[in-house]
Amino acid sequence: MSDLLTRSAHELAELIATGETNSVEVTRAHLDQIEALNGDLNAFLHVAADEALEAAAAADRRREAGQRLSLLDGVPIAVKDNFCTLGMPTTCGSRMLEGWVPPYEATVVARLRAAGLVLLGKTNMDEFAMGSSTETSAFGPTRNPWDLERIPGGSGGGSAAAVAACMAPLALGSDTGGSIRQPGAVTGTIGVKPTYGGVSRYGVVAMASSLDQPGPVTRSVVDAALLHEVMGGHDPMDATSIAEPLPAIVAAAHRRDVSGLRVGVVKELAGDGYEADVEARFGEAVAWLEEAGAEVVEVSCPSFEHALAAYYLIMPAELSSNLARFDAVRYGLRLGDDGSNGMEAVTSLTRGQGFGREAKRRLIIGTYALSSGYHDQYYGSAQKVRTLVARDFERAFEVCDVLVTPTTPTVAFRLGERMSDPMAMYRADLCTIPSNLAGNAAASFPVGLSSEGLPVGLQVVAPPLADDRLYRVGGFLETRLESQGGPLLARAAALPGSKAVWR
């Protein structure tokens, strides 16, 4: 594999800045990798090759003129297909928006362009971000580059698979119940869910507005911090955006020291349902923290046991409201409009054929939870549980600086294995959902491989607006992991029997 493909984004940026390579060469290498692997992985739904090469050439002209827009100027990036992009389709993995090109752009995407990053294209996802495996996409599932018979996580499996397979050094994701962190864990990548409101949601097609949060997907902790810095900050176009400066996340990523840090291990997120390899890698990583001078204690968050049930009432309720805009009138798919049907029939036919099975399931649940006579019983009760989850976090952070848990109870499962069992699928997000309910910062970092050679992730959770703590712990874990046997990509290449696509 080309050295340009395995380099971190910040290393590529420095090579471009010093003239040792150029953005066109880097971009072309990644476009070649996409062409070689996307047929097997289905990570990209749209590849903007010509536009990417034009943007790369512009970056090279800036360098020649002595200009640099940011520390990531000229570096390629992939964008999850629920971010509105000028000049590129935004489908959200659904037939409902097939071929739709937005007339405006997400704030985060505009910030990427302003920082000189090169957009490679749009990545596959579960339909409207509804899923934990990227199997509900109307355009076919994405496959895990570690084993093509396994899922890459969801809903942002396309972004995670693209970064894991070196098709892009960076990617954008969005996290509603774990859609950045869970794919990160099962693909060996780094996925960060910033504090809710820390990164603008303007122009990100809404799933559940009180839960959604954009964030970075990378292979390097410093890369994640640099991308987070470009993405983040207040946006007057987003009413939920926090008018506070970002903490010093890049400096924290470089620190790589956890001495004196108080680390809480969440008692409720372990035991039955957690694979032995996941618990073993998690235990080893906790031991690394303790050996490095962190104070490790067990904490109890009893309301977390009810977080999954609360989430699957709040999320479908907000989803039902947000997806009501897809009515076959204003934009998107329109079926049955031949003059023989009234508007109600056109809307019904369009929604019936335009939405997939999982989307319909969640829409029905959400509509029922908000219906007259049931609102307080279901949606109202779920919001009370949400408050209890937030209070558990508050009490835990009184005695701890960060919390750690497994990111997922299992490693990547096989394609099709859970499609007929929604509850088994939903449990993939068991550890990640509490942070979305509370709005705090959380991230997944690789901590090793299972006995089958599949990645395992550890989740770090920090209080709201303390995102720098995620990067401090993540930087340490990255250094310690590499000292145990090198980067995960290199380990997979050397592993007997490995099914990774880069072997």
Side-chain angles (χ1 to χ4, degrees):
M1 190 185 297
S2 165
D3 183 52
L4 292 178
L5 297 176
T6 56
R7 293 270 193 168
S8 66
H10 67 274
E11 288 173 337
L12 290 173
E14 284 304 309
L15 291 173
I16 293 168
T18 58
E20 293 180 58
T21 186
N22 58 60
S23 181
V24 168
E25 187 176 0
V26 171
T27 300
R28 187 172 286 117
H30 286 91
L31 289 171
D32 289 346
Q33 182 80 335
I34 293 168
E35 185 176 1
L37 297 182
N38 201 52
D40 290 329
L41 295 175
N42 195 29
F44 279 85
L45 294 179
H46 175 78
V47 180
D50 292 342
E51 298 92 329
L53 290 170
E54 287 175 11
D60 290 336
R61 289 193 294 272
R62 286 194 297 273
R63 182 189 63 78
E64 291 167 4
Q67 300 171 356
R68 196 179 189 190
L69 297 180
S70 75
L71 293 177
L72 293 174
D73 196 352
V75 176
I77 186 168
V79 178
K80 188 178 180 182
D81 202 26
N82 59 343
F83 287 78
C84 288
T85 43
L86 289 170
M88 294 185 207
T90 298
T91 71
C92 295
S94 178
R95 296 290 181 196
M96 192 65 81
L97 284 176
E98 187 172 7
W100 181 66
V101 179
Y104 69 104
E105 193 149 77
T107 293
V108 168
V109 175
R111 287 178 177 176
L112 296 182
R113 293 192 199 270
L117 281 91
V118 176
L119 275 61
L120 294 169
K122 308 295 286 295
T123 57
N124 202 3
M125 57 183 285
D126 282 301
E127 184 177 16
F128 285 104
M130 286 180 268
S132 302
S133 63
T134 316
E135 291 177 281
T136 71
S137 170
F139 308 108
T142 297
R143 296 175 180 270
N144 193 323
W146 289 80
D147 181 345
L148 295 178
E149 297 305 312
R150 294 180 185 265
I151 60 98
S155 63
S159 285
V163 172
C166 299
M167 300 160 89
L170 304 167
L172 289 187
S174 65
D175 193 308
T176 304
S179 290
I180 294 174
R181 291 163 288 157
Q182 185 251 11
V186 301
T187 61
T189 55
I190 293 161
V192 180
K193 183 199 84 69
T195 297
Y196 180 79
V199 175
S200 174
R201 293 186 301 111
Y202 177 78
V204 184
V205 179
M207 179 189 177
S209 301
S210 73
L211 301 166
D212 300 342
Q213 187 58 201
V217 180
T218 70
R219 294 189 305 270
S220 152
V221 176
V222 170
D223 288 356
L226 288 168
L227 182 54
H228 187 166
E229 192 170 66
V230 169
M231 298 169 65
H234 181 249
D235 177 18
M237 299 295 289
D238 177 3
T240 62
S241 180
I242 298 171
E244 297 283 343
L246 290 174
I249 53 179
V250 176
H254 282 290
R255 183 172 176 181
R256 312 208 164 218
D257 166 51
V258 293
S259 59
L261 202 68
R262 299 174 301 166
V263 177
V265 176
V266 180
K267 172 184 174 183
E268 284 74 17
L269 298 180
D272 290 345
Y274 289 78
E275 288 182 350
D277 281 344
V278 170
E279 292 202 313
R281 298 295 86 74
F282 174 72
E284 290 164 4
V286 171
W288 296 345
L289 292 165
E290 196 161 26
E291 291 165 8
E295 178 188 349
V296 177
V297 298
E298 185 178 77
V299 297
S300 179
C301 297
S303 297
F304 285 14
E305 294 181 4
H306 308 293
L308 186 70
Y311 174 83
Y312 276 100
L313 285 169
I314 294 169
M315 176 272 295
E318 295 187 8
L319 176 82
S320 171
S321 176
N322 279 324
L323 266 59
R325 72 192 68 182
F326 300 102
D327 55 7
V329 176
R330 287 163 285 189
Y331 51 85
L333 188 67
R334 185 182 180 93
L335 299 176
D337 187 23
D338 57 3
S340 63
N341 295 307
M343 196 61 250
E344 184 175 340
V346 170
T347 299
S348 178
L349 184 63
T350 300
R351 289 171 68 85
Q353 294 190 27
F355 287 126
R357 184 176 180 181
E358 182 62 24
K360 291 174 185 174
R361 177 187 287 118
R362 298 192 191 197
L363 284 165
I364 290 169
I365 292 170
T367 302
Y368 184 79
L370 293 176
S371 62
S372 177
Y374 294 100
H375 180 283
D376 290 342
Q377 182 179 351
Y378 293 112
Y379 184 72
S381 296
Q383 291 288 16
K384 291 176 183 176
V385 172
R386 183 179 196 168
T387 299
L388 295 176
V389 169
R391 287 176 180 170
D392 277 356
F393 273 121
E394 289 169 6
R395 282 191 290 269
F397 287 130
E398 287 174 2
V399 297
C400 298
D401 299 308
V402 296
L403 303 178
V404 294
T405 77
T407 308
T408 59
T410 70
V411 295
F413 48 89
R414 295 187 182 281
L415 287 159
E417 189 176 289
R418 301 186 184 182
M419 288 299 287
S420 60
D421 187 349
M423 280 307 300
M425 185 74 79
Y426 299 164
R427 289 191 190 101
D429 297 330
L430 196 65
C431 303
T432 52
I433 280 170
S435 288
N436 294 90
L437 292 175
N440 51 25
S444 178
F445 302 101
V447 288
L449 301 176
S450 73
S451 56
E452 297 176 279
L454 296 170
V456 176
L458 175 144
Q459 178 179 225
V460 183
V461 185
L465 300 176
D467 302 53
D468 54 318
R469 299 182 196 177
L470 305 178
Y471 292 103
R472 180 180 172 188
V473 177
F476 165 78
L477 291 172
E478 182 176 66
T479 299
R480 187 60 183 267
L481 179 64
E482 293 187 358
S483 75
Q484 302 290 310
L488 289 188
L489 292 183
R491 291 194 197 189
L495 194 69
S498 171
K499 299 178 181 179
V501 298
W502 51 81
R503 243 182 92 76

